Amino acid sequence: ELKVEQNPLFLSMQEGKNYTIYCNYSTTSDRLYWYRQDPGKSLESLFVLLSNGAVKQEGRLMASLDTKARLSTLHITAAVHDLSATYFCAVASTGNQFYFGTGTSLTVIP
Amino acid sequence: KAGVTQTPRYLIKTRGQQVTLSCSPISGHRSVSWYQQTPGQGLQFLFEYFSETQRNKGNFPGRFSGRQFSNSRSEMNVSTLELGDSALYLCASSLVPPDRLGETQYFGPGTRLLVL
């Protein structure tokens, strides 16, 4: 079974700082997804990464994928309070089952 | 355009009962997936449907079943409820199955099920 590990599980950072969330997965996959979940809310799709070396950016968030290392990163630049949420990565197996990471709970402190 | 809708939003059942949850995808979307979210196990994949056919199923017991109708609406059923089935059940829709060109999934608000 495909395993997906995220770290850190909890992240408290000051506004204006940069930080990176890591997502490691155990077997080959050609698709990696990042989602955001606000407390009590559903999931919002952030990025879909399809190939090795893929990089996508939206505002203060940038995601990248290294399929050889089986690693994706979500980089946060100059954090603002609105980015406080839980971030999940998910990897799709060849059978198109989705495996989610444990989530990273991000709190941005003024 | 209306988003993914799920009914009911909240549900309380007792052990041994069965429950049916409903999901209406975004208009035009033909792929529907279901997920279970619990504090202990996190987000787990349940099923994926496309054009009324189940394409994939996660590692859940046979008590969990689902179906998709010709209008793409989907239902999932859990029989003989157990305390551990208490969870947020999320439905997601996409135009085509997520494995086609990295199609984005759009999630509904979820149904929160409490089993007593």
Side-chain angles (χ1 to χ4, degrees), chain A residues 3-59:
Chain A
K3 302 286 186 190
V4 182
E5 290 185 355
Q6 263 181 262
N7 66 81
L9 295 183
F10 298 95
L11 176 56
S12 181
M13 56 190 296
Q14 286 188 312
E15 278 191 334
K17 298 292 188 182
N18 304 333
Y19 209 84
T20 301
I21 299 171
Y22 297 88
C23 174
N24 290 88
Y25 52 99
S26 60
T27 60
T28 302
S29 174
D30 57 358
R31 284 169 292 133
L32 189 134
Y33 302 77
W34 283 98
Y35 296 92
R36 167 184 172 143
Q37 186 175 38
D38 291 293
K41 305 281 187 176
S42 190
L43 274 76
E44 174 191 353
S45 177
L46 294 173
F47 302 108
V48 180
L49 302 169
L50 298 177
S51 60
N52 187 41
V55 177
K56 289 199 174 178
Q57 183 163 6
E58 180 73 34

Side-chain angles (χ1 to χ4, degrees), chain A residues 1 30-31 33 35 37 40-46 48 50 88 92-102, chain B residues 9 35 37 43-45 48 55-59 88 90 97-99 101-105 107-110 112:
Chain A
E1 183 179 298
D30 57 358
R31 284 169 292 133
Y33 302 77
Y35 296 92
Q37 186 175 38
K41 305 281 187 176
S42 190
L43 274 76
E44 174 191 353
S45 177
L46 294 173
V48 180
L50 298 177
F88 292 93
S93 71
T94 51
N96 202 34
Q97 289 195 34
F98 278 65
Y99 295 87
F100 282 81
T102 49
Chain B
R9 292 292 311 280
Y35 301 86
Q37 186 175 27
L43 273 156
Q44 294 184 283
F45 170 79
E48 180 211 340
R55 296 179 76 236
N56 290 289
K57 188 177 192 297
N59 296 325
L88 179 66
L90 293 165
D99 58 337
L101 303 177
E103 183 70 17
T104 298
Q105 291 187 85
F107 282 79
R112 191 165 294 279

Side-chain angles (χ1 to χ4, degrees), chain B residues 4-55:
Chain B
V4 179
T5 58
Q6 292 186 245
T7 57
R9 292 292 311 280
Y10 303 92
L11 204 50
I12 300 175
K13 291 284 188 179
T14 56
R15 277 182 300 174
Q17 287 187 309
Q18 77 165 26
V19 67
T20 299
L21 311 181
S22 180
C23 170
S24 293
I26 291 172
S27 178
H29 284 195
R30 294 165 60 197
S31 176
V32 173
S33 299
W34 287 90
Y35 301 86
Q36 181 196 64
Q37 186 175 27
T38 60
Q41 299 296 318
L43 273 156
Q44 294 184 283
F45 170 79
L46 281 158
F47 334 93
E48 180 211 340
Y49 288 90
F50 178 68
S51 294
E52 301 178 67
T53 301
Q54 186 181 89
R55 296 179 76 236

